Amino acid sequence: MSEQIRGEWPLYEVFVRGKRGLNHVHVGSLHASDDALALRHARDVYTRRNEGVSIWVVRSTDITASSPSEKDPLFAPSGDKVYRHPTFYEIPDNVPHM
Amino acid sequence: MSDVQTHEPDDHESAYSGLLVNDAHWAFGTDFEDPLAGVDTTVPDGVDAKALAAYCLMLGDDALVLSQRLAEWCSNAPDLEEDIALANIALDLLGQARLLLARAAAADPDLVPALPEGSPVPDEDRLAFFRNDAQFRNVRLTELPNGDFAETIARVLLFSTWRLAVFERLSHSRDAVLAAVAAKGAKELTYHRDFAGRWFVTLARGTEESRRRLVHGLGEIWPLWPELFETHDVEHVVAKAGVGVDPAEVAAEVEVVIEQVLAASGVDRPQRGGLAGVQGRKGRDGGHTEHLSRVLTEMQVTARAHPQGQW
Amino acid sequence: MSSAVADHELEAHFDATIEHADRIEPRDWMPDGYRKSLVRQIAQHAHSEIIGMQPEGNWIGRAPSLRRKAILLAKVQDEAGHGLYLYSAAETLGVSRDELTEMLISGKQKYSSIFNYPTLSYTDVGTIGWLVDGAAICNQVPLCRTSFGPYGRAMIRICKEESFHQRQGFELLMTMMRGTDEQRAMVQESVNRFWWPALMMFGPPDEDSTNTEQSMTWGIKTHTNDELRQRFVDMSVPQAKALGVTFPDPELVWNEERGQHDFGQPDWDEFWAVVKGDGPCNAQRIVHRKRAWDEGAWVREAALAFANDSSRKGESA
């Protein structure tokens, strides 16, 4: 990652449990000055205030990730963070070719 | 759009028409659930319908005018996340305004401005766009210009704290419609108050500049604060009938909340008195600041140019 | 961990991934050119969303009904969200949002030229929804399958909302066409103003487009400018008919042989003037964005100072 410009809020990754019985799923990221603000932003940005969903936020820098490009067999074949994996996503049925 | 497709040669068009709406997961913010579905809309026995309507107008105009102001932040906020948050608050208030204006019109059709024969403009829009400033019943706090982010935060804190206290009581109103509107609104206002309260503390304890701006902003709006607790005759009547809330009764609990925020922020209560009215007339009487007329000029210009318009 | 793998091996792996139409993920090795092209394209796309808030935001305060006001405010809010998703996708490539914002404000990165046109009537909100969002969807639906994972995922979410916006815009125009004569005239006038700029949204003709070929190989772009423009025209004509408006192009006609419409060329001199900064609103849009950004600096700094302070004291914020 590039050096932060002075005063830039840290990046957070956002995980949302859409409804009971489902896993929290990575939905994207956002910036916030602290954890509490990150939660509020996550609610505004990724659920548009949808009540009743559960949200996790974690600082991007606190995530330890493997690097599939380094081809360490330990990580094959799944590789990388599971949440970055395209198939982990719930794709709306009506989006073609996904 | 699928209804106007004449042919669908490839994925582009089917995707185009196929990606659709009403997926609860995607909060577009525009598909309002009808909070009044199944709610009894008759005016309860022993309630003066005109007073009820005037009261709905007061609460509705508060929300409408502040929503109009908060929407001015759109594309102007300090960061994208706050832009979205302020728009959410403006949308919530707009939703409350629509329900309350519609209730006012239903309870007292005489309130609704007449338009040329055959005009399709619905009642909520007639009330919003075809009344003059002197017919608006909002408190003056809601019509002031936004000022900077700190002043906006201070205003949202004061307003949402007061309105939440009112709505919590109002959710027990004998008027089923008001009770339903208040129950829904209270959830929204809880969020607004939390948003503003946290930002208030953050700005107070952030940098010297943010603190200076916050103290200044709070001072600017403080003179309009007492007006929210002055019981208007209409409020007196509806409170007595068990359909509305006497704002003087929520003063103590609102004070507790504001004092908590001030204490957490290390900010002193501004030492400024309440802003006088003109011959006693304040916002609830249609006595406004110079700002409201300008707010309405902008808000109403398109609608007034097309009194027969369909939107 | 094994020691560094030779570059050519990494490149072969990358090429194979692209070849199989598989996704490249942020921590994968990628050629510098790929990374740079992606950053440029995603940033330009993100900037377009953010600058695009202004022309439509221009009418929030003057929307003619409360329902339309809510729809418009929510739509412009969605655009802020889209910009945010896209900035996040770009950030996985190692640039920060602040850096990208600085590039936008300083003019080093571009945004879609359509937003340098003014919105002169409320009707433009509907026309932008129909034609501009429609053109954007033509560009964007294929990007859901773009080779870079985070970009494709952002696009899925965005396309879903955009298609909703497009329907809203079309529905507004339909409603106005059922209204007064004056309203119908407003719709036609607005469509006349936006038709050519909408066609320009697909970029210059293929023979003048510098980035297309490499981007197609990399799967960053999946269709050429002219292909997409043709699709858009073919798609829009029946919609215009349904709406009861015409497009201001005397050369627009169905070509039986090609099974597509023939149509005239936009004024490419105007296009390049707008791209180079001389459009009707270029300066205004950047000044607006810069003012909001500069005026917000003290807020962003305050939040950071507060966060640092409260973490030092071990408080929860």
Side-chain angles (χ1 to χ4, degrees):
Chain A
M1 291 292 136
S2 62
E3 236 176 275
Q4 282 196 355
I5 293 183
R6 190 183 65 88
E8 178 153 20
W9 290 353
L11 193 64
Y12 281 80
E13 301 298 327
V14 182
F15 301 78
V16 171
R17 185 206 299 284
K19 59 181 182 192
R20 286 173 187 282
L22 297 181
N23 285 320
H24 283 79
V25 175
H26 182 249
V27 293
S29 47
L30 49 73
H31 288 270
S33 55
D34 59 32
D35 299 355
L37 190 64
L39 265 182
R40 271 189 287 137
H41 284 165
R43 183 170 175 237
D44 282 329
V45 173
Y46 287 102
T47 74
R48 296 285 202 288
R49 314 270 318 283
N50 200 345
E51 302 282 344
V53 303
S54 163
I55 301 172
W56 291 347
V57 293
V58 58
R59 275 205 195 198
S60 306
T61 50
D62 288 345
I63 293 178
T64 309
S66 67
S67 176
S69 285
E70 287 166 25
K71 291 191 173 175
D72 188 315
L74 182 63
F75 300 100
S78 61
D80 211 344
K81 290 303 277 189
V82 66
Y83 64 80
R84 293 284 196 203
H85 206 277
T87 54
F88 200 67
Y89 276 75
E90 209 186 322
I91 307 294
D93 295 336
N94 44 17
V95 178
H97 302 290
M98 293 307 304
Chain B
M1 199 104 319
S2 53
D3 51 335
V4 295
Q5 294 292 331
T6 54
H7 55 114
E8 300 205 354
D10 61 28
D11 65 287
H12 268 68
E13 286 179 82
S14 54
Y16 200 25
S17 53
L19 293 164
L20 273 194
V21 241
N22 287 337
D23 176 342
H25 232 80
W26 302 86
F28 293 111
T30 50
D31 274 354
F32 295 106
E33 280 174 45
D34 181 8
L36 301 185
V39 172
D40 182 3
T41 56
T42 50
V43 175
D45 283 346
V47 173
D48 174 358
K50 285 197 180 300
L52 175 64
Y55 183 60
C56 290
L57 219 46
M58 291 173 174
L59 295 177
D61 287 347
D62 284 349
L64 177 59
V65 174
L66 186 55
S67 172
Q68 178 80 5
R69 282 300 193 193
L70 290 175
E72 292 173 14
W73 274 105
C74 191
S75 81
N76 291 298
D79 62 76
L80 296 180
E81 285 86 351
E82 258 50 60
D83 214 295
I84 292 170
L86 288 167
N88 270 336
I89 297 175
L91 279 167
D92 285 344
L93 291 175
L94 184 52
Q96 292 177 15
R98 293 180 63 188
L99 294 166
L100 288 160
L101 294 189
R103 183 57 176 160
D108 180 8
D110 292 343
L111 276 179
V112 181
L115 289 179
E117 188 69 21
S119 167
V121 175
D123 286 346
E124 63 175 40
D125 291 333
R126 291 181 184 221
L127 284 170
F129 298 105
F130 293 88
R131 277 182 301 152
N132 297 323
D133 56 343
Q135 296 169 297
F136 270 70
R137 294 285 178 265
N138 57 289
V139 290
R140 293 174 295 174
L141 177 72
T142 59
E143 70 204 34
L144 296 186
N146 282 328
D148 62 10
F149 185 73
E151 191 169 336
T152 292
I153 288 297
R155 174 159 61 173
V156 173
L157 174 69
L158 295 186
F159 179 76
S160 60
T161 303
W162 170 83
R163 192 168 171 95
L164 176 57
V166 170
F167 271 34
E168 278 171 345
R169 291 178 184 226
L170 199 58
S171 63
H172 306 293
S173 169
R174 283 180 58 225
D175 181 54
V177 176
L178 270 181
V181 171
K184 175 174 187 286
K187 284 186 211 150
E188 297 165 348
L189 292 160
T190 303
Y191 174 79
H192 305 173
R193 188 181 71 171
D194 180 68
F195 167 86
R198 285 174 185 276
W199 265 114
F200 193 97
V201 174
T202 300
L203 295 178
R205 292 168 49 186
T207 61
E208 266 179 49
E209 182 180 10
S210 67
R211 184 178 180 81
R212 176 180 58 73
R213 284 174 179 267
L214 182 74
V215 169
H216 174 79
L218 183 65
E220 288 292 298
I221 60 171
W222 196 258
L224 289 160
W225 183 225
E227 184 181 329
L228 276 67
F229 302 96
E230 293 167 9
T231 313
H232 188 273
D233 288 346
V234 165
E235 289 167 316
H236 190 72
V237 171
V238 292
K240 219 170 158 194
V243 291
V245 177
D246 178 350
E249 285 180 19
V250 303
E253 65 180 270
V254 169
E255 272 310 309
V256 170
V257 176
I258 297 300
E259 282 303 328
Q260 273 176 357
V261 177
L262 291 175
S265 310
V267 170
D268 294 332
R269 253 179 109 79
Q271 297 301 313
R272 295 176 71 166
L275 200 70
V278 176
Q279 283 104 54
R281 286 163 51 83
K282 297 180 181 175
R284 295 284 188 235
D285 312 293
H288 293 283
T289 65
E290 291 178 350
H291 303 293
L292 183 64
S293 171
R294 287 179 183 278
V295 173
L296 298 185
T297 298
E298 179 184 359
M299 186 174 90
Q300 298 176 336
V301 63
T302 315
R304 288 204 179 202
H306 303 275
Q308 305 269 22
Q310 285 200 45
W311 309 101
Chain C
M1 293 270 168
S2 54
S3 60
V5 183
D7 271 6
H8 68 269
E9 206 177 315
L10 289 169
E11 189 148 10
H13 183 71
F14 173 87
D15 290 343
T17 307
I18 297 282
E19 178 96 1
H20 296 129
D22 212 342
R23 302 304 162 79
I24 302 298
E25 292 296 337
R27 295 166 59 81
D28 290 343
W29 183 91
M30 60 188 85
D32 269 354
Y34 177 83
R35 184 184 298 270
K36 277 189 194 137
S37 289
L38 268 176
V39 168
R40 193 191 60 239
Q41 185 176 330
I42 299 174
Q44 178 165 333
H45 192 165
H47 298 328
S48 298
E49 296 283 356
I50 299 308
I51 295 294
M53 295 170 72
Q54 294 179 34
E56 290 181 271
N58 183 32
W59 285 92
I60 293 171
R62 292 174 288 170
S65 76
L66 297 181
R67 176 172 162 266
R68 290 293 177 190
K69 187 190 290 289
I71 289 172
L72 181 55
L73 179 54
K75 180 189 172 182
V76 178
Q77 184 194 39
D78 281 345
E79 283 160 9
H82 295 173
L84 198 151
Y85 308 154
L86 288 162
Y87 283 130
S88 299
E91 282 174 293
T92 65
L93 292 162
V95 287
S96 73
R97 194 200 293 178
D98 282 10
E99 284 169 339
L100 295 173
T101 302
E102 296 293 345
M103 304 258 256
L104 168 66
I105 288 169
S106 64
K108 286 187 194 118
Q109 286 177 342
K110 304 288 186 201
Y111 53 89
S112 176
S113 55
I114 190 78
F115 301 119
N116 290 317
Y117 287 86
T119 50
L120 300 175
S121 100
Y122 169 73
T123 319
D124 293 355
V125 167
T127 310
I128 288 178
W130 174 37
L131 293 179
V132 174
D133 292 345
I137 293 167
C138 279
N139 273 325
Q140 291 169 357
V141 166
L143 288 176
C144 295
R145 285 175 281 150
T146 189
S147 62
F148 187 58
Y151 190 25
R153 291 192 286 272
M155 289 317 305
I156 291 170
R157 212 182 151 105
I158 289 170
C159 282
K160 181 140 180 147
E161 294 185 350
E162 291 287 1
S163 72
F164 183 71
H165 294 164
Q166 202 219 4
R167 294 169 62 88
Q168 282 176 343
F170 191 79
E171 190 258 340
L172 168 60
L173 298 183
M174 290 267 259
T175 307
M176 288 182 70
M177 291 301 285
R178 287 197 297 266
T180 62
D181 288 345
E182 206 181 352
Q183 287 186 297
R184 278 185 285 277
M186 286 167 77
V187 174
Q188 183 63 61
E189 187 276 333
S190 176
V191 169
N192 289 347
R193 264 185 300 117
F194 273 96
W195 174 247
W196 293 114
L199 289 191
M200 294 178 196
M201 286 176 69
F202 298 94
D206 291 345
E207 68 259 29
D208 301 331
S209 177
T210 47
N211 298 316
T212 298
E213 205 180 322
Q214 179 65 75
S215 294
M216 303 247 321
T217 314
W218 277 332
I220 296 173
K221 251 177 117 157
T222 51
H223 297 79
T224 72
N225 296 349
D226 286 334
E227 280 169 12
L228 292 169
R229 192 168 11 247
Q230 180 72 54
R231 282 170 200 268
F232 175 68
V233 170
D234 291 337
M235 199 156 44
S236 299
V237 167
Q239 292 170 352
K241 204 168 288 169
L243 195 57
V245 296
T246 57
F247 292 131
D249 179 359
E251 296 173 49
L252 181 61
V253 61
W254 176 254
N255 182 325
E256 194 66 52
E257 218 169 287
R258 291 200 303 127
Q260 291 175 322
H261 290 87
D262 293 337
F263 56 96
Q265 287 295 305
D267 178 349
W268 291 113
D269 290 339
E270 179 180 303
F271 171 80
W272 288 113
V274 177
V275 167
K276 287 176 180 139
D278 294 327
C281 300
N282 294 53
Q284 177 190 334
R285 300 288 185 239
I286 293 296
V287 165
H288 180 132
R289 184 71 194 108
K290 182 169 168 18
R291 179 181 40 72
W293 181 248
D294 289 348
E295 286 179 2
W298 68 270
V299 178
R300 298 190 299 272
E301 280 161 23
L304 211 53
F306 176 73
N308 292 337
D309 185 47
S310 47
S311 56
R312 196 174 59 235
K313 289 174 189 159
E315 297 172 20
S316 65

